Amino acid sequence: MVRQEWDRAKVASLQGRLIEWYEQNCRDLPWRKRSDAYAIWVSEIMLQQTRVAVVIERYQAFMERFPTLFSLALAPEQEVLALWSGLGYYRRARMLLKAAQYVAQHYQGSLPATAAELRALPGIGAYTAAAIASIAHGEPVAVVDGNVERVLCRVAGWESASRAGAVAARRKVEELAARLVDPQQAGDFNQAMMELGATVCLPRNPQCLVCPISADCKTRGEHKTAPRARMLSREIAHALSVRTGRSPGNTGGPASREVLLEQRAATETVMPGLWELPILREAKVPAEDLRMTVRHAIMQVNYYVRIRTVFEDDVDALAADGGERRWVPLGEAAGMALTGLARKVLLRAHLLPTKALDAIAPLSGRDVL
């Protein structure tokens, strides 16, 4: 059915208009300045479930520290996690490191060139494999992320399927994507489709008047979608405990202060091994001890967080039992693998010497493994 509706002339016309639009309107993003597979891979992993504005700063810092796959493969996990702090979904960083080590050992540091081979690597799913293979090597494989799926559903006039019919609907979208991809400019075409969904064919209020393929679109506006799962809400409180450092010759100045951090257990399902502020036994905090309130989203949970000023002598009485605790110099804490919430709080309290990072928000359907 897809082939009957999309003859060769119609497909070629859409390809030409879309690529011309992309060349004139694509955003100036740092990962688009490099065409090597390693840089594309890092950017695509970072962009999974994370806003572009948040990724830009983290990507640049990450590539400065790990400019090659070999440099990443040789890095300690805690250093990789520290540079990932603020992006969330830390399993992505661990799998990125694991895959880099595998490629360094088995492929002499060069990522495989085909989507099929790439999918065999840890943490690389169908979307990421197709993106790397098409952008870096021109393989004519279609990329289907949440943005592309939305564009194609609207073009074809399809409603989003219910959960029960999701597999069949996804297969139909992938078939259409494969039919439309430009075999001569697969990388540019795939990026154009993603760019169109990110900037024009938006989930709400799509900009149909400036869409280069609106003439082929059966919907021309929002399409019916299944309701999103409701976010859960939870209240929690953390201790912010800061003291003057105990090193010999300490002058007591701001640079010598230490903050109490606690490491999450390696068995935790979320953010294992990362460092956070100690969790308090009670989520309610007396007004006179309240340092700040923070809203923080992790996956499908909205956390309403109270930060309590806690003196060193009171930590054991107020904090819940947890992992290893350490008093860490503030200058050292900035380079540790902190949870996004811990980094956000320390930045807002003006205790870290770096710019604030926004909390991430899941926006797309890219493959998170």
Side-chain angles (χ1 to χ4, degrees):
M1 183 175 180
V2 168
R3 291 188 177 275
Q4 290 176 354
E5 293 184 5
W6 292 91
D7 59 36
R8 186 173 300 177
K10 185 175 180 180
V11 169
S13 174
L14 181 144
Q15 291 169 344
R17 283 178 280 125
L18 186 60
I19 290 176
E20 182 181 4
W21 170 85
Y22 176 72
E23 291 173 348
Q24 297 174 357
N25 296 277
C26 66
R27 290 169 293 178
D28 183 17
L29 301 174
W31 44 89
R32 289 178 176 162
K33 300 181 188 302
R34 294 178 55 168
S35 58
D36 58 293
Y38 171 66
I40 295 166
W41 175 40
V42 171
S43 69
E44 291 297 342
I45 297 296
M46 285 188 169
L47 286 164
Q48 292 171 4
Q49 304 292 321
T50 309
R51 294 199 305 267
V52 169
V54 178
V55 171
I56 288 175
E57 182 178 351
R58 293 291 86 197
Y59 172 82
Q60 292 172 321
F62 195 93
M63 295 304 289
E64 286 176 8
R65 174 60 187 87
F66 307 120
T68 65
L69 187 145
F70 275 120
S71 63
L72 174 60
L74 294 171
E77 182 180 279
Q78 283 292 307
E79 186 175 0
V80 175
L81 293 176
L83 279 170
W84 203 269
S85 183
L87 289 171
Y89 299 93
Y90 291 91
R91 187 170 185 270
R92 296 178 299 169
R94 290 187 169 94
M95 298 301 280
L96 187 73
L97 176 58
K98 185 177 180 180
Q101 292 167 342
Y102 185 88
V103 172
Q105 182 178 358
H106 296 280
Y107 290 91
Q108 293 75 51
S110 297
L111 283 163
T114 69
E117 292 176 295
L118 286 163
R119 287 198 66 176
L121 299 178
I124 296 185
Y127 163 80
T128 305
I132 298 169
S134 64
I135 298 171
H137 301 292
E139 184 179 359
V141 289
V143 166
V144 181
D145 68 351
N147 286 325
V148 173
E149 183 172 356
R150 182 172 59 254
V151 171
L152 294 180
C153 282
R154 288 174 175 171
V155 166
W158 299 330
E159 296 181 358
S160 291
S162 64
R163 185 172 299 179
V167 173
R170 178 76 175 189
R171 191 176 297 120
K172 189 164 61 171
V173 168
E174 290 173 349
E175 181 187 351
L176 178 55
R179 174 65 176 162
L180 297 182
V181 68
D182 187 337
Q184 303 303 318
Q185 302 180 76
D188 285 346
F189 180 85
N190 284 331
Q191 291 185 91
M193 287 291 289
M194 292 186 284
E195 189 80 349
L196 189 71
T199 63
V200 174
C201 195
L202 304 169
R204 298 288 177 265
N205 301 315
Q207 309 300 303
C208 300
L209 292 178
V210 296
C211 177
I213 60 173
S214 61
D216 297 309
C217 182
K218 292 185 178 180
T219 305
R220 298 191 186 180
E222 297 178 20
H223 67 306
K224 186 176 180 180
T225 59
R228 293 183 62 179
R230 290 187 61 184
M231 294 284 287
L232 303 176
S233 296
R234 184 182 172 192
E235 294 184 355
I236 194 171
H238 287 265
L240 181 56
S241 188
V242 180
R243 72 179 189 185
T244 301
R246 302 294 173 83
S247 60
N250 194 318
T251 62
S256 67
R257 288 187 295 172
E258 298 174 336
V259 62
L260 184 63
L261 297 175
E262 180 175 292
Q263 189 173 33
R264 294 176 62 84
T267 55
E268 292 280 358
T269 56
V270 178
M271 299 177 291
L274 270 67
W275 292 85
E276 63 183 350
L277 300 175
I279 298 175
L280 296 176
R281 300 178 190 274
E282 299 292 335
K284 303 297 182 184
V285 175
E288 62 271 19
D289 296 321
L290 184 64
R291 178 70 178 266
M292 70 178 77
T293 58
V294 178
R295 183 177 171 182
H296 192 69
I298 301 178
M299 298 183 183
Q300 293 299 316
V301 181
N302 273 323
Y303 288 90
Y304 296 87
V305 187
R306 298 179 181 89
I307 304 300
R308 177 173 182 165
T309 300
V310 177
F311 293 105
E312 180 180 356
D313 294 341
D314 297 327
V315 170
D316 290 340
L318 296 174
D321 294 335
E324 174 196 352
R325 290 180 190 153
R326 276 181 52 199
W327 287 97
V328 180
L330 289 172
E332 181 184 334
M336 290 177 64
L338 302 176
T339 65
L341 175 59
R343 188 172 296 274
K344 181 189 294 187
V345 170
L346 293 174
L347 285 164
R348 291 190 181 182
H350 305 291
L351 295 173
L352 290 187
T354 53
K355 292 182 359 183
L357 294 170
D358 294 332
I360 64 169
L363 293 179
S364 73
R366 296 182 174 184
D367 43 17
V368 180
L369 304 179

